[in-house]
Amino acid sequence: MNIQKIIKIGALVIGLIAVIFLVRIIMLGDEAIESDVANQGILSGFITLALVVLAIATISAVAFSLVNLVSNPDKLKKSLISVGVFAVILILGYVMSSGEERVLTDGTTLTAAQSQMIEGAIKSFYILILLAAGLMLFFGVKKMLSK
């Protein structure tokens, strides 16, 4: 049997199960689900199905991406360079940040390390925004000058 047929049949089965759960939820009604705890069990099947579909999609996307990267060394090299540049930007943002202990509005304390991680993530975000804007500006000007 072809793998595409198996995937189509699996998707059809998952879709039919989802439709059955949806019809049961619609037939029961919002008020009955909100008022009676026993009726909330219908939602758990729907949520479980959604989590299973999400897990299957995530695993298949990661697996096929890794297979594609391993089979093509040029793409693997470019991907590793991109991950390395992203890691350097994150480290740069972390090093540029200053961590100081803070008391939050709900009374809990944010440690210096947590504060430095948050500030580093924000600064990394700013660096990425500036990098993207700079690249768009550079290539826009380059395109305008080449015409």
Side-chain angles (χ1 to χ4, degrees):
M1 194 179 250
N2 193 354
I3 189 74
Q4 289 178 342
K5 268 190 176 180
I6 294 171
I7 292 173
K8 283 182 184 179
I9 293 171
L12 180 66
V13 168
I14 290 173
L16 288 175
I17 293 170
V19 168
I20 291 169
F21 281 129
L22 182 64
V23 168
R24 286 183 59 199
I25 290 170
I26 291 172
M27 286 176 48
L28 195 57
D30 292 343
E31 293 81 21
I33 292 174
E34 290 174 1
S35 64
D36 191 8
V37 177
N39 290 335
Q40 293 176 358
I42 293 174
L43 294 177
S44 68
F46 205 60
I47 292 170
T48 303
L49 179 66
L51 290 175
V52 167
V53 170
L54 178 65
I56 291 170
T58 303
I59 290 169
S60 63
V62 169
F64 285 121
S65 296
L66 290 176
V67 167
N68 190 20
L69 286 176
V70 170
S71 66
N72 193 342
D74 291 335
K75 288 183 181 180
L76 179 62
K77 181 181 174 185
K78 287 180 182 179
S79 297
L80 289 176
I81 289 172
S82 299
V83 169
V85 168
F86 185 67
V88 166
I89 290 172
L90 288 177
I91 291 169
L92 183 65
Y94 182 76
V95 169
M96 288 175 28
S97 63
S98 63
E100 50 188 60
E101 194 170 296
R102 299 173 196 249
V103 177
L104 302 176
T105 55
D106 62 352
T108 58
T109 303
L110 187 67
T111 65
Q114 291 170 333
S115 175
Q116 189 173 12
M117 290 283 279
I118 293 168
E119 189 177 343
I122 292 170
K123 287 189 178 185
S124 298
F125 178 69
Y126 292 152
I127 292 169
L128 290 170
I129 287 174
L130 290 175
L131 185 64
L135 286 172
M136 286 189 299
L137 183 66
F138 171 76
F139 286 110
V141 168
K142 183 179 174 184
K143 186 177 179 180
M144 285 175 32
L145 293 177
S146 68
K147 286 186 176 182

